[in-house]
Amino acid sequence: AQTVTQSQPEMSVQEAETVTLSCTYDTSESDYYLFWYKQPPSRQMILVIRQEAYKQQNATENRFSVNFQKAAKSFSLKISDSQLGDAAMYFCAFLGGGSQGNLIFGKGTKLSVKP
Amino acid sequence: DTGVSQNPRHKITKRGQNVTFRCDPISEHNRLYWYRQTLGQGPEFLTYFQNEAQLEKSRLLSDRFSAERPKGSFSTLEIQRTEQGDSAMYLCASFRTGGLPEAFFGQGTRLTVV
């Protein structure tokens, strides 16, 4: 069974600085997707960024980028120029079966942004 | 608004009562997931549907929990004989499988069992 591990329960960053959130996963599959989702307080979960396992190039979305290390089964999220609105829970998620499998989440990292 | 609707938003029930939650996904999405989330934790997988077929159910899920998705449209999650440990946020996710996959989440139903 696949597992997703986020080893940082809480992280803090100064506004305008850069922060990296860690995620590792375990799978025997070769075709899968990885995601980072953001859940602001009392708000809906929204997609931040997505990575296809068969793509070597790391995904980027504006200030958000990932460092995908397939062999190491590592998938970290870098947030550049942190803003107050980035404060939220961040969840790493794995979708296996070439997108036909189950979508499972890590336990999350709570990110605080200091003004 | 992601386009996924969950009702009710809040439910308070007495221990031992049955409760039912509803999820209306984005209409063209054929996959639907249910998760349970407790405070400060990640979404815990409960079950998911592809159209009307229930493809997987968590082994951790008690037989007091049942879900349906008639005609592959809306879905319901029922909890029978509720216990205090069932208190949590129940999330529904509507999933786009064509093209790049993405899950769209509803706002959740917060269940409190007293």
Side-chain angles (χ1 to χ4, degrees), chain A residues 35-96:
Chain A
F35 307 84
W36 279 97
Y37 274 85
K38 172 184 178 181
Q39 189 177 41
S42 302
R43 300 279 301 275
Q44 285 162 285
M45 191 107 67
I46 56 173
L47 178 67
V48 174
I49 199 165
R50 170 181 46 222
Q51 176 76 43
E52 300 153 77
Y54 61 86
K55 283 193 175 179
Q56 292 186 332
Q57 186 174 6
N58 289 325
T60 61
E61 287 287 344
N62 302 313
R63 298 183 295 108
F64 299 88
S65 62
V66 298
N67 184 3
F68 174 48
Q69 301 289 325
K70 191 172 184 178
K73 296 179 183 174
S74 170
F75 182 62
S76 61
L77 174 69
K78 185 171 81 171
I79 306 174
S80 303
D81 186 25
S82 296
Q83 300 175 359
L84 295 177
D86 294 332
M89 285 290 292
Y90 286 82
F91 296 101
C92 179
F94 172 96
L95 175 67

Side-chain angles (χ1 to χ4, degrees), chain B residues 10-26:
Chain B
H10 302 274
K11 178 71 177 179
I12 300 174
T13 190
K14 292 183 178 179
R15 190 174 51 186
Q17 297 294 304
N18 300 343
V19 294
T20 300
F21 311 140
R22 177 176 170 130
C23 172
D24 286 274
I26 296 170

Side-chain angles (χ1 to χ4, degrees), chain B residues 4-51:
Chain B
V4 180
S5 176
Q6 290 190 247
N7 288 285
R9 293 287 308 281
H10 302 274
K11 178 71 177 179
I12 300 174
T13 190
K14 292 183 178 179
R15 190 174 51 186
Q17 297 294 304
N18 300 343
V19 294
T20 300
F21 311 140
R22 177 176 170 130
C23 172
D24 286 274
I26 296 170
S27 59
E28 61 266 28
H29 290 182
N30 58 4
R31 192 180 299 176
L32 185 150
Y33 291 86
W34 283 100
Y35 294 90
R36 176 171 59 192
Q37 186 179 28
T38 52
L39 195 63
Q41 298 296 311
E44 176 190 13
F45 167 74
L46 296 179
T47 188
Y48 82 98
F49 293 83
Q50 182 82 8
N51 299 312

Side-chain angles (χ1 to χ4, degrees), chain B residues 19-91:
Chain B
V19 294
T20 300
F21 311 140
R22 177 176 170 130
C23 172
D24 286 274
I26 296 170
S27 59
E28 61 266 28
H29 290 182
N30 58 4
R31 192 180 299 176
L32 185 150
Y33 291 86
W34 283 100
Y35 294 90
R36 176 171 59 192
Q37 186 179 28
T38 52
L39 195 63
Q41 298 296 311
E44 176 190 13
F45 167 74
L46 296 179
T47 188
Y48 82 98
F49 293 83
Q50 182 82 8
N51 299 312
E52 66 274 15
Q54 188 173 17
L55 295 189
E56 189 173 338
K57 188 175 175 180
S58 171
R59 289 170 292 177
L60 301 176
L61 204 59
S62 157
D63 58 7
R64 297 184 296 107
F65 287 70
S66 62
E68 293 183 341
R69 193 182 181 198
K71 302 179 182 178
S73 55
F74 70 92
S75 178
T76 58
L77 177 69
E78 181 183 15
I79 309 174
Q80 296 182 327
R81 305 182 303 281
T82 52
E83 302 172 356
Q84 285 190 322
D86 296 331
S87 295
M89 177 74 83
Y90 289 83
L91 298 173

Side-chain angles (χ1 to χ4, degrees), chain A residues 33 98-100, chain B residues 28-31 33 50 95-102:
Chain A
Y33 290 84
S99 85
Q100 299 304 309
Chain B
E28 61 266 28
H29 290 182
N30 58 4
R31 192 180 299 176
Y33 291 86
Q50 182 82 8
F95 198 83
R96 181 181 72 191
T97 55
L100 293 174
E102 181 175 349

